[in-house]
Amino acid sequence: VYCGNCIGVCPTGALMFRSEHEMRKAGTWDEGRQTRTDTVCGYCGVGCQVEIEADAIGVRRIHGAASASVNRGHLCAKGRYAHGWRESPERLTQPLVRRDGRLVPIGWDEAIAFAARRLDEIHAAHGADSIAALTSSRSTNEAAYLLQKLFRSRFRSNNVDCCARVCHASTAQALRQATGTGAASACY
Protein backbone atom coordinates (compact mmCIF):
# COMPACT_ATOMS: atom_id res chain seq x y z
CA VAL A 1 0.00 0.00 0.00
CA TYR A 2 1.41 3.36 -1.11
CA CYS A 3 4.79 1.82 -1.98
CA GLY A 4 4.69 3.12 -5.56
CA ASN A 5 5.30 -0.22 -7.27
CA CYS A 6 2.09 0.30 -9.27
CA ILE A 7 3.70 3.40 -10.81
CA GLY A 8 6.81 1.43 -11.67
CA VAL A 9 4.87 -1.27 -13.54
CA CYS A 10 2.13 0.87 -15.12
CA PRO A 11 2.36 0.03 -18.86
CA THR A 12 0.52 3.13 -20.09
CA GLY A 13 2.13 5.95 -18.12
CA ALA A 14 -1.27 6.85 -16.65
CA LEU A 15 0.29 6.74 -13.19
CA MET A 16 3.26 8.93 -12.33
CA PHE A 17 5.13 10.21 -9.31
CA ARG A 18 3.43 13.22 -7.73
CA SER A 19 6.71 15.14 -7.78
CA GLU A 20 7.11 14.42 -11.50
CA HIS A 21 3.55 15.55 -12.18
CA GLU A 22 4.08 18.80 -10.23
CA MET A 23 7.40 19.49 -11.99
CA ARG A 24 5.86 18.87 -15.42
CA LYS A 25 3.07 21.35 -14.60
CA ALA A 26 5.63 23.92 -13.40
CA GLY A 27 7.81 23.37 -16.47
CA THR A 28 10.86 22.28 -14.44
CA TRP A 29 10.94 18.67 -15.67
CA ASP A 30 13.60 18.07 -18.31
CA GLU A 31 14.03 14.40 -19.12
CA GLY A 32 17.04 15.12 -21.35
CA ARG A 33 19.17 16.65 -18.59
CA GLN A 34 18.77 13.85 -16.09
CA THR A 35 21.54 11.44 -15.21
CA ARG A 36 20.93 7.88 -14.11
CA THR A 37 23.00 6.31 -11.33
CA ASP A 38 22.87 2.71 -10.15
CA THR A 39 23.44 2.23 -6.42
CA VAL A 40 22.18 0.44 -3.31
CA CYS A 41 19.30 1.76 -1.21
CA GLY A 42 20.49 2.93 2.19
CA TYR A 43 17.29 2.66 4.23
CA CYS A 44 17.67 -0.83 5.65
CA GLY A 45 20.05 -3.72 5.52
CA VAL A 46 18.31 -5.65 2.73
CA GLY A 47 20.46 -4.07 0.02
CA CYS A 48 17.89 -3.33 -2.69
CA GLN A 49 19.46 -2.07 -5.88
CA VAL A 50 18.09 1.24 -7.13
CA GLU A 51 18.36 3.48 -10.17
CA ILE A 52 18.43 7.16 -9.25
CA GLU A 53 17.42 9.81 -11.77
CA ALA A 54 18.78 13.27 -10.93
CA ASP A 55 19.47 16.61 -12.53
CA ALA A 56 21.10 19.87 -11.46
CA ILE A 57 18.25 20.55 -9.03
CA GLY A 58 18.43 17.18 -7.26
CA VAL A 59 16.98 13.67 -7.17
CA ARG A 60 13.91 13.42 -9.38
CA ARG A 61 12.93 9.72 -9.24
CA ILE A 62 14.12 6.47 -7.76
CA HIS A 63 13.30 3.10 -9.34
CA GLY A 64 14.06 -0.42 -8.27
CA ALA A 65 16.61 -2.09 -10.53
CA ALA A 66 14.66 -4.66 -12.55
CA SER A 67 17.69 -6.92 -12.98
CA ALA A 68 18.55 -7.00 -9.25
CA SER A 69 18.14 -10.43 -7.69
CA VAL A 70 17.54 -9.00 -4.21
CA ASN A 71 14.51 -6.83 -5.07
CA ARG A 72 13.67 -7.58 -8.73
CA GLY A 73 12.63 -3.99 -9.42
CA HIS A 74 10.47 -3.58 -6.34
CA LEU A 75 11.04 -1.01 -3.59
CA CYS A 76 9.34 -0.10 -0.34
CA ALA A 77 7.90 3.38 0.13
CA LYS A 78 11.06 4.64 1.84
CA GLY A 79 13.37 3.42 -0.88
CA ARG A 80 11.21 4.96 -3.61
CA TYR A 81 10.02 8.22 -2.04
CA ALA A 82 12.08 9.19 0.99
CA HIS A 83 14.72 11.28 -0.75
CA GLY A 84 13.23 14.72 -0.11
CA TRP A 85 15.27 15.09 3.08
CA ARG A 86 18.31 15.90 0.95
CA GLU A 87 16.86 19.25 -0.10
CA SER A 88 15.00 20.00 3.15
CA PRO A 89 15.82 23.38 4.69
CA GLU A 90 15.53 21.66 8.10
CA ARG A 91 18.35 19.22 7.32
CA LEU A 92 21.30 19.38 9.69
CA THR A 93 24.48 20.02 7.73
CA GLN A 94 26.96 20.45 10.56
CA PRO A 95 27.29 19.34 14.18
CA LEU A 96 25.54 21.25 16.96
CA VAL A 97 26.43 21.48 20.65
CA ARG A 98 24.32 22.92 23.44
CA ARG A 99 25.86 26.02 25.05
CA ASP A 100 23.96 28.20 27.50
CA GLY A 101 20.76 26.34 26.65
CA ARG A 102 21.07 26.95 22.90
CA LEU A 103 22.26 24.71 20.09
CA VAL A 104 25.19 26.31 18.31
CA PRO A 105 27.07 25.06 15.22
CA ILE A 106 30.59 23.72 15.67
CA GLY A 107 33.19 22.12 13.39
CA TRP A 108 33.51 18.37 12.90
CA ASP A 109 36.86 18.10 14.72
CA GLU A 110 35.44 19.87 17.76
CA ALA A 111 32.29 17.70 17.67
CA ILE A 112 34.27 14.46 17.54
CA ALA A 113 36.57 15.62 20.36
CA PHE A 114 33.53 16.65 22.43
CA ALA A 115 31.80 13.29 21.94
CA ALA A 116 34.98 11.34 22.78
CA ARG A 117 35.59 13.44 25.90
CA ARG A 118 32.00 13.00 27.15
CA LEU A 119 32.08 9.24 26.55
CA ASP A 120 35.32 9.01 28.53
CA GLU A 121 33.88 11.14 31.37
CA ILE A 122 30.64 9.16 31.62
CA HIS A 123 32.49 5.84 31.46
CA ALA A 124 34.97 6.92 34.15
CA ALA A 125 32.24 8.20 36.47
CA HIS A 126 29.60 5.50 36.02
CA GLY A 127 31.19 2.39 34.46
CA ALA A 128 30.65 0.28 31.37
CA ASP A 129 26.89 -0.13 31.80
CA SER A 130 26.36 3.64 31.66
CA ILE A 131 26.99 3.89 27.91
CA ALA A 132 25.70 2.10 24.85
CA ALA A 133 26.03 2.15 21.07
CA LEU A 134 23.07 1.99 18.74
CA THR A 135 23.80 1.79 15.05
CA SER A 136 21.48 2.23 12.12
CA SER A 137 20.57 -0.55 9.73
CA ARG A 138 21.65 1.90 7.04
CA SER A 139 25.23 1.56 8.26
CA THR A 140 27.51 -0.78 6.43
CA ASN A 141 28.53 -4.06 8.03
CA GLU A 142 32.04 -2.66 8.33
CA ALA A 143 30.91 0.52 10.15
CA ALA A 144 28.71 -1.49 12.53
CA TYR A 145 31.59 -3.86 13.23
CA LEU A 146 33.94 -0.97 14.05
CA LEU A 147 31.41 0.66 16.38
CA GLN A 148 30.80 -2.52 18.37
CA LYS A 149 34.56 -3.16 18.48
CA LEU A 150 35.13 0.34 19.92
CA PHE A 151 32.51 -0.10 22.64
CA ARG A 152 33.51 -3.65 23.55
CA SER A 153 37.28 -3.10 23.56
CA ARG A 154 37.67 0.53 24.70
CA PHE A 155 34.73 0.83 27.11
CA ARG A 156 34.24 -2.87 27.97
CA SER A 157 30.54 -2.41 27.25
CA ASN A 158 28.38 -5.06 25.63
CA ASN A 159 25.52 -2.55 25.31
CA VAL A 160 25.57 -2.61 21.51
CA ASP A 161 22.52 -2.93 19.29
CA CYS A 162 21.09 -2.05 15.90
CA CYS A 163 17.69 -0.63 15.04
CA ALA A 164 17.24 -3.40 12.45
CA ARG A 165 16.42 -5.82 15.25
CA VAL A 166 13.29 -3.84 16.10
CA CYS A 167 12.05 -1.67 13.25
CA HIS A 168 13.17 -4.03 10.51
CA ALA A 169 11.99 -7.20 12.22
CA SER A 170 10.16 -8.41 9.11
CA THR A 171 13.16 -7.91 6.83
CA ALA A 172 15.45 -9.45 9.45
CA GLN A 173 13.20 -12.53 9.57
CA ALA A 174 13.21 -12.79 5.77
CA LEU A 175 17.01 -12.42 5.70
CA ARG A 176 17.33 -15.09 8.38
CA GLN A 177 15.25 -17.50 6.30
CA ALA A 178 17.02 -16.70 3.03
CA THR A 179 20.62 -16.28 4.15
CA GLY A 180 20.82 -17.84 7.61
CA THR A 181 21.37 -14.54 9.40
CA GLY A 182 19.11 -11.60 10.19
CA ALA A 183 21.99 -9.16 9.91
CA ALA A 184 22.37 -6.54 7.24
CA SER A 185 23.64 -8.10 4.05
CA ALA A 186 24.59 -5.07 1.98
CA CYS A 187 28.23 -4.06 1.80
CA TYR A 188 28.83 -0.72 0.10
Side-chain angles (χ1 to χ4, degrees):
V1 175
Y2 305 116
C3 65
N5 285 318
C6 56
I7 294 171
V9 299
C10 179
T12 65
L15 301 174
M16 70 174 61
F17 296 99
R18 179 182 296 157
S19 59
E20 178 182 345
H21 176 68
E22 291 168 356
M23 286 181 270
R24 285 182 189 274
K25 280 184 8 186
T28 60
W29 184 267
D30 186 354
E31 198 88 37
R33 295 189 181 209
Q34 292 181 6
T35 60
R36 191 177 196 110
T37 304
D38 295 334
T39 188
V40 177
C41 179
Y43 271 97
C44 75
V46 172
C48 293
Q49 292 180 25
V50 297
E51 297 167 350
I52 298 176
E53 292 180 26
D55 61 17
I57 295 172
V59 174
R60 297 300 195 151
R61 291 189 290 207
I62 297 180
H63 300 283
S67 62
S69 60
V70 71
N71 57 308
R72 294 185 176 96
H74 297 285
L75 292 176
C76 70
K78 286 182 186 177
R80 188 177 305 276
Y81 296 121
H83 54 83
W85 59 268
R86 295 182 68 248
E87 286 85 26
S88 171
E90 297 176 354
R91 181 178 177 201
L92 294 178
T93 58
Q94 66 185 95
L96 303 173
V97 68
R98 191 172 304 279
R99 291 193 178 134
D100 299 323
R102 290 185 28 240
L103 291 173
V104 294
I106 60 173
W108 285 102
D109 290 339
E110 184 181 353
I112 292 168
F114 175 82
R117 184 176 62 253
R118 285 297 294 141
L119 283 170
D120 279 338
E121 292 169 359
I122 293 167
H123 180 256
H126 304 287
D129 283 336
S130 66
I131 59 174
L134 179 65
T135 186
S136 166
S137 60
R138 294 189 296 183
S139 295
T140 63
N141 286 336
E142 295 83 359
Y145 174 81
L146 290 173
L147 184 66
Q148 68 83 28
K149 188 74 169 173
L150 169 69
F151 271 73
R152 289 187 171 136
S153 63
R154 168 62 181 91
F155 298 113
R156 303 285 184 228
S157 175
N158 286 321
N159 301 328
V160 178
D161 205 353
C162 175
C163 73
R165 188 178 56 83
V166 180
C167 66
H168 295 289
S170 59
T171 54
Q173 178 63 26
L175 282 167
R176 190 175 298 110
Q177 289 175 353
T179 66
T181 179
S185 61
C187 173
Y188 294 85

